[in-house]
Amino acid sequence: MTARILRRVGYTAGLPAVLVALWWVASAGSDSFFWPPLRTIVATFPDTWLTGRLGEDVLPSVLRLLAGYLLALVLGVALGVPIGLHRRVRAFAEPTLEFFRAIPPPVLVPVIALFAGYTGSASKVVTIAIGCLWPVLLNTVEGVRAVDEVLVDTARCYHLRRRSQLVHLTLRGSSPQIAAGARQALSIGVILMVISELFGADRGLGASIVQFQRSFAIPQMWTGIILLGVLGFLLSLIFRLVEHRALAWYRGLRDANRGA
Amino acid sequence: MATTEPTTTAPEAAATDVALDVRGLQKTYGGQGRSVEAIRELSFSVPRGQLTCIVGPSGAGKTTLLRCIAGLLDVTAGEIVLDGERVTGPPRGMAVVFQEYGRSLFPWMTVQQNVERPLIERRVPKAERRRVVADALAAVGLGDSGEAHPWQLSGGMQQRVAIARAVAYEPTVLIMDEPFAAVDAQTRADLEDLVRDLWHRLGVTVLFVTHDIDESVYLGQRVLVLSNRPTVLLEDVTVDLPDERDQLGTRGTHRFAELRGHVYELIQRAKAGHRPEDDAGPAS
């Protein structure tokens, strides 16, 4: 058992360890201004981030990300369910959705800023929410449409009430697909968290990285990029843990079907 | 949905001994300028407590008929009356066991939750609910699988769960749509005996649709043989076998062979396109 866990950890951590080691060795003797040794970058890390920036830059960024992301989840599912359930609503809404989906969300940043203000949190949260909305919404629509019709008939025959149908049939049935959309949305959210701070923001993780770069604080800039990577990794780890628990039935069902 | 017969007041009187009444049922699927006539005319009634089997060649509209009876599909003409009430949507007193057991159980619920869900919807008190669910699972031989998820069970066991759910629902009429078409032969024999056993014990009216001729004769008190599309009733065969049936003895009797042969012949003729009106005049 422990041997198996060790082997799994080895598999998971192996490549990152090798890459970090490679970076460490390859950059060790570097005197390039733009490619400082990894040792220098690591040494700069505590002074850069642990002296207040974590609370004043990173935390607000993460909170904005979470706010926008949750907003997108709620909106995406709330809009996706009726669109997925009713053919008429779908025919009515789908072309419009396809149009808006085709617009890259970063383009909207200046537009949103015009309405919601450049410096406040609102414009950033809105940007993140709009970018995250599409994968959640479109996957919810597909997931709801794909709920097994035999199950729908079963629910009708056994007179599941409206609320029960929504919770125990529609939402549970489409949850694997919603989760797939939510996973896509999370990575889009991280990207937009940074991009939304590139225009006229003075605080935040993304804004900090840009400021370091502009003031030629290169090791500090690198620490910011690493922090960003670690943050994205942690978020997706948390996501995977939640998904693992919530969709245990789905994995079991899939494995059972594969075995048969 | 239009009906021309003025029969809407009659069912009240007959409600005591007729569980299900199908009158002049017609079903035509309409679509983009093209319509398909699935059921031309079907009328039959099922007395309370009877086990009736419906057989027909593949594509005979068995599933269409069943979905109409279950209130899942609107009828084009005629009416279906359950317990004296005209069916316009899934009726309260009806439970359905679908052919696709793997798809009719909620995979995110445990076996127990699957059986319990319809009772929760009917606001059965918790203590009673637990008792009914336990009894139903015990009756199908799954007393200790309540905590498992359906996909952890074999196909036969999954269909037992679906049967337990139907039994726990305490329906007037139990509808089964080719429930054992996808399980292996041995499991199938066990499940057939389970259905006979539950039917005896609960006194429920059963409508059992199958494409298996042997199964229909072995299970039923009566076999309705359907024609091919557009469907009409080819023959209403009474199965006069003794009530006590077992897989080896009953299937070995002379009478079983006769009945089986008769239904087989009807199905062969149905496949060849024979229709009852052919006996009266030339086919169109």
Side-chain angles (χ1 to χ4, degrees), chain A residues 126-185:
Chain A
V126 170
T127 306
I128 294 166
I130 289 180
C132 294
L133 178 67
W134 305 113
V136 177
L137 176 58
L138 296 171
N139 276 286
T140 304
V141 171
E142 284 312 307
V144 170
R145 283 182 67 181
V147 170
D148 199 308
E149 59 202 23
V150 178
L151 269 188
V152 177
D153 283 350
T154 304
R156 285 183 62 198
C157 283
Y158 287 107
H159 293 272
L160 264 67
R161 280 182 245 121
R162 247 168 200 284
R163 220 185 93 86
S164 300
Q165 287 207 18
L166 178 66
V167 175
H168 296 290
L169 177 71
T170 310
L171 287 178
R172 286 309 290 272
S174 54
S175 59
Q177 187 104 36
I178 295 177
R183 199 178 323 123
Q184 283 176 33

Side-chain angles (χ1 to χ4, degrees), chain B residues 181-247:
Chain B
V183 297
D184 63 84
Q186 279 164 27
T187 310
R188 184 175 194 145
D190 290 345
L191 289 170
E192 284 167 6
D193 289 333
L194 175 69
V195 168
R196 288 279 306 181
D197 177 47
L198 288 172
W199 169 64
H200 270 133
R201 277 200 280 162
L202 305 172
V204 63
T205 311
V206 181
L207 197 62
F208 192 104
V209 176
T210 176
H211 64 259
D212 185 322
I213 295 157
D214 286 49
E215 186 169 75
S216 70
V217 174
Y218 178 72
L219 279 180
Q221 293 179 301
R222 170 193 185 195
V223 176
L224 300 174
V225 185
L226 303 183
S227 75
N228 65 357
R229 218 164 247 229
T231 307
V232 293
L233 189 61
L234 214 53
E235 195 173 313
D236 185 344
V237 180
T238 304
V239 178
D240 48 5
L241 291 169
D243 188 45
E244 199 59 48
R245 297 184 192 177
D246 75 279
Q247 291 287 350

